[in-house]
Amino acid sequence: MARAEAKKTTSDLIIERLLAWGVDTCFGICGDQVNGFFESLRTHPEMRFTHVRHEENAALACVGYAKFTGRPAACVATAGPGAIHLLNGLYDARIDGAPVIAITGLAYHDTVGAHFLQDVPSDRLFEHACMFSERVMGPAHAITATDLAVRSALMNRTPSHLAIPIDVQSWTLEQDTVSDKNVPGHTSTAGQRFEVMPPQEQIAAAAEILNSCRRVAICAGAGARGAGAELERVAEVLGAPIVKAGLGKDCVPDDSPYTTGGMGLIGTSASQEVFEDCDGFLIVGSSTPYYDFWPRPG
């Protein structure tokens, strides 16, 4: 390996790999169990860092960035209580389908589980909130773990998490052992877009149902983003107003002639009238929790 590469720390390798994936924005707050990662943030100005007042703010800002740009961001917190504070934002990301990368500190690698200061196993703690949650074992593991974390976040639209012991954060490749099975290049930043398409018979069945209705209502959510033109064409063909769930606010403009605005607790009276008067209901990319406002069967 090149001498310059050997001098890179675990944190350097993670940040540079995040940048290679296009993750160039990080929110967080410093702490003594994440000092090695913050040193790498200091020496990598390409990673835009926003210092916040509280770890929960970091996670929620990260989620907001991901929701409204469509691009993943990172958030970082120290071990123990600092890491735990991220969970509110990470659960928000999990429920709303936002790709984020959480990075937390851990106790020294040889004191984990020994009741050292802030000895909370965040890799296990975050398993329910994050589809991918792993402990980084050293610089030889850093690139692989980062690739898998970002890939999972992008493909599954969920948060991912990397937990790094405080001493491992500053280890260089010279201080690590690379196993024979760790073949260079077995992961990459070659992320691929994919789309889920229903079978044609399901599309035909849905079209038959909608065509049999006289007053169709459309409820559009975050999953309709980027398909505004298609959504308006469907509204035109069906004569169906578009009611927007909270995260679907930008799927069509507020001044579109096809939309009645929002729904639910902060919705419009026109939207509620649409729901009360329809005999067909088309949901496009929404998992809104305000289904008590939806049309009632019968």
Side-chain angles (χ1 to χ4, degrees), residues 76-89:
V76 58
T78 190
I84 293 168
H85 287 318
L86 294 178
L87 281 171
N88 269 335

Side-chain angles (χ1 to χ4, degrees), residues 46-65:
E46 315 94 291
M47 178 66 73
R48 295 193 298 269
F49 177 72
T50 300
H51 196 281
V52 297
R53 294 178 63 89
H54 192 279
E55 290 88 0
E56 185 173 352
N57 296 38
L60 290 170
C62 187
V63 173
Y65 179 98

Side-chain angles (χ1 to χ4, degrees), residues 85-157:
H85 287 318
L86 294 178
L87 281 171
N88 269 335
L90 296 181
Y91 273 110
D92 189 65
R94 180 64 182 259
I95 291 169
D96 286 345
V100 303
I101 314 298
I103 296 166
T104 64
L106 278 176
Y108 289 86
H109 83 283
D110 54 353
T111 66
V112 171
H115 302 285
F116 189 73
L117 177 69
Q118 299 179 342
D119 183 20
V120 175
S122 54
D123 52 336
R124 298 202 294 271
L125 180 66
F126 283 28
E127 283 179 346
H128 188 265
C130 300
M131 188 166 287
F132 182 94
S133 181
E134 290 294 340
R135 183 177 302 181
V136 179
M137 307 298 287
H141 186 215
I143 289 176
T144 297
T146 305
D147 282 347
L148 295 176
V150 179
R151 192 183 306 278
S152 175
L154 289 173
M155 292 189 66
N156 299 307
R157 310 300 293 181

Side-chain angles (χ1 to χ4, degrees), residues 252-269:
V252 294
D254 285 338
D255 59 0
S256 167
Y258 298 98
T259 185
T260 56
M263 62 159 287
L265 298 175
I266 54 175
T268 66
S269 57

Side-chain angles (χ1 to χ4, degrees), residues 25 30 38 41 66 76 94 106 123 214 230 238 259 265 294:
T25 302
C30 55
F38 267 80
L41 283 173
V76 58
R94 180 64 182 259
L106 278 176
D123 52 336
R214 294 185 299 112
E230 293 86 348
L238 293 174
T259 185
L265 298 175
W294 283 357

Side-chain angles (χ1 to χ4, degrees), residues 161-240:
H161 170 235
L162 298 175
I164 322 170
I166 176 61
D167 50 343
V168 171
Q169 293 168 32
S170 300
W171 282 2
T172 66
L173 283 168
E174 292 174 322
Q175 298 171 277
D176 202 2
T177 300
V178 183
S179 70
D180 293 338
K181 301 299 182 183
N182 190 356
V183 179
H186 70 277
T187 60
S188 73
T189 58
Q192 305 246 346
R193 283 191 54 139
F194 72 100
E195 296 178 353
V196 178
M197 295 290 292
Q200 283 299 316
E201 58 268 24
Q202 288 187 11
I203 295 176
E208 184 177 354
I209 292 171
L210 293 171
N211 286 330
S212 70
C213 300
R214 294 185 299 112
R215 300 180 305 278
V216 176
I218 298 173
C219 178
R225 280 186 186 152
E230 293 86 348
L231 190 60
E232 289 187 328
R233 285 201 295 272
V234 171
E236 173 72 30
V237 169
L238 293 174

